[in-house]
Amino acid sequence: MVLLRRLLGSLRTARNLTTLATFQTRNNRSGWGAVFAVGGFATVSLAAIHCRKNKVYAATLLEKHGWMSEPVTDPVQMEKNSDTMRIRMEKMIMDIQAEFCRALEAEEGGKKFLVDKWQRKEGGGGITCVLQDGEVFEKAGVNISVVMGNLPPAAVAQMKTRGKSLEGKTLPFFATGVSSVIHPKNPNVPTIHFNYRYFEVTDETGQKHWWFGGGTDLTPYFLDEQDVVHFHKTLKTACDKHDKGYYPRFKKWCDEYFFIKHRGQSRGVGGIFFDDLEDGSAEDTFKFVSTCAKSVTPSYIPLVKKNKNKGYSYKDRRWQLLRRGYYAEFNLVYDRGTKFGLQTPGARIESIMMSLPLNASWEYCHEVKPGSPEQKLTDVLRNPKDWV
């Protein structure tokens, strides 16, 4: 049957090519008809060869790297431009997505990520990996995006408020990054968020601007200081490999950024956060960002292993859902990534809202009891502390 299908496919291709050649010859009485006929054969043949090359390159990349999907960028172009920062960053985030997803799947014990590769008509696309309603993870999302196009005035204005000197109202841009939020089922397992990204923008004078951003932060529902210390030590070790001043600088930035102003408390126990990072060379900054991204799995998976089988009560679950409500408030009101995504033409809403929990709640005038575990966590959220 396989051979028969291949034979029929070859016959259909030959028929189409013959029809194309005949049509072109009949409609071109001069000698150009033969040229057009040959051109038709050549075009179809080259297209077929190009498609096969793409598949071969994609298969080679998947086999070599073990990614979750074929890359967003055309595999041939990826190989051709492998030395550019755009491609190096895309390969790095593809590696991180696959590594983290498989580490989470190993803890889940059977359930696998849904892999959703999508395209953006304005340019680029992404790969969204979601695991939902698992035994360990209620909702786990690990998303990468590789997008390009023109920044609308609102997005340009937002960047200018952060001190970027960009000339023009609508500017060509390229952006790629990995973003993940993990909402576990057991309240004893903390939520983690990380995001590492790279931007290029060309202003109206033709000048190219680049910068990196990112960070990793932890949001526990009950305070286990040993867990928090492990998390921060792992991030500090990653930062110290590049600059001893990075961890204290980016830890403070994280505490300030993830502060929910209308609640008067932080979203979690912090981590590291930086934006518009363009210190030194792009090469050095890329290496730093790569090291931080590679520290995610060792910073978090040990906490999952330790806590995922602990017992919890209905009261603990209610507290977890309340804390998730605050998490959603921050993402929808303050988060720059959410705002940028919503302001970008052709934004994929499902991927942007991936960070929100599957379940959350808001209780009217909820108050924690003095001396309770909930109070212990709340005190730290209202007064961030140094963990290492």
Side-chain angles (χ1 to χ4, degrees), residues 233-300:
K233 275 187 175 180
T234 307
L235 299 187
K236 183 177 185 300
T237 298
C239 291
D240 287 352
K241 290 179 180 178
H242 298 270
D243 190 319
K244 296 287 186 181
Y246 274 169
Y247 173 76
R249 174 184 167 190
F250 298 147
K251 192 269 182 187
K252 182 175 183 293
W253 198 339
C254 185
D255 289 337
E256 293 173 350
Y257 178 75
F258 289 106
F259 190 76
I260 309 172
K261 299 180 181 64
H262 62 272
R263 294 288 182 183
Q265 58 184 266
S266 296
R267 189 176 77 174
V269 293
I272 57 172
F273 177 82
F274 53 90
D275 206 358
D276 301 335
L277 190 63
E278 50 191 354
D279 302 347
S281 69
E283 178 65 24
D284 289 342
T285 311
F286 170 71
K287 288 179 179 178
F288 166 64
V289 168
S290 299
T291 302
C292 290
K294 291 173 184 175
S295 73
V296 171
T297 298
S299 75
Y300 183 62

Side-chain angles (χ1 to χ4, degrees), residues 46-228:
L46 288 173
I49 292 170
H50 181 70
C51 289
R52 286 198 296 272
K53 284 179 68 178
N54 275 359
K55 290 180 180 179
V56 169
Y57 277 128
T60 302
L61 289 171
L62 285 175
E63 183 179 346
K64 178 181 178 181
H65 298 280
W67 291 333
M68 300 299 288
S69 168
E70 294 180 6
V72 173
T73 299
D74 175 87
V76 176
Q77 292 301 315
M78 183 172 270
E79 291 296 315
K80 183 179 178 181
N81 301 298
S82 59
D83 292 336
T84 65
M85 186 56 68
R86 292 185 177 193
I87 300 302
R88 293 174 67 194
M89 187 70 182
E90 183 176 354
K91 287 183 176 180
M92 188 274 283
I93 62 176
M94 292 279 286
D95 289 341
I96 296 302
Q97 182 187 50
E99 175 192 304
F100 195 52
C101 284
R102 294 206 167 90
L104 295 173
E105 286 178 343
E107 296 306 313
E108 185 60 51
K111 193 152 190 174
K112 301 296 183 181
F113 275 87
L114 167 70
V115 180
D116 180 17
K117 184 181 178 185
W118 48 273
Q119 291 185 320
R120 176 174 171 271
K121 66 178 182 179
E122 290 81 4
I127 303 165
T128 297
C129 296
V130 176
L131 192 157
Q132 193 164 284
D133 283 324
E135 292 297 319
V136 177
F137 304 109
E138 192 168 310
K139 185 181 180 186
V142 190
N143 183 47
I144 70 166
S145 58
V146 182
V147 299
M148 64 286 295
N150 291 308
L151 285 179
V156 176
Q158 180 185 340
M159 290 182 177
K160 287 183 176 179
T161 62
R162 305 203 315 259
K164 301 302 284 184
S165 178
L166 301 173
E167 298 297 328
K169 293 182 178 181
T170 303
L171 308 177
F173 82 99
F174 170 87
T176 186
V178 57
S179 180
S180 175
V181 178
I182 310 303
H183 294 292
K185 183 171 288 186
N186 191 320
N188 293 294
V189 182
T191 280
I192 190 175
H193 157 259
F194 72 91
N195 172 273
Y196 291 98
R197 56 196 179 274
Y198 171 70
F199 274 82
E200 285 182 3
V201 177
T202 305
D203 65 23
E204 63 181 11
T205 68
Q207 182 178 356
K208 181 187 291 184
H209 304 260
W210 62 263
W211 64 91
F212 292 83
T216 309
D217 62 280
L218 195 71
T219 302
Y221 304 99
F222 294 98
L223 186 63
D224 183 325
E225 295 199 5
Q226 186 179 25
D227 287 354
V228 181

Side-chain angles (χ1 to χ4, degrees), residues 28 195 304:
N28 293 277
N195 172 273
V304 177

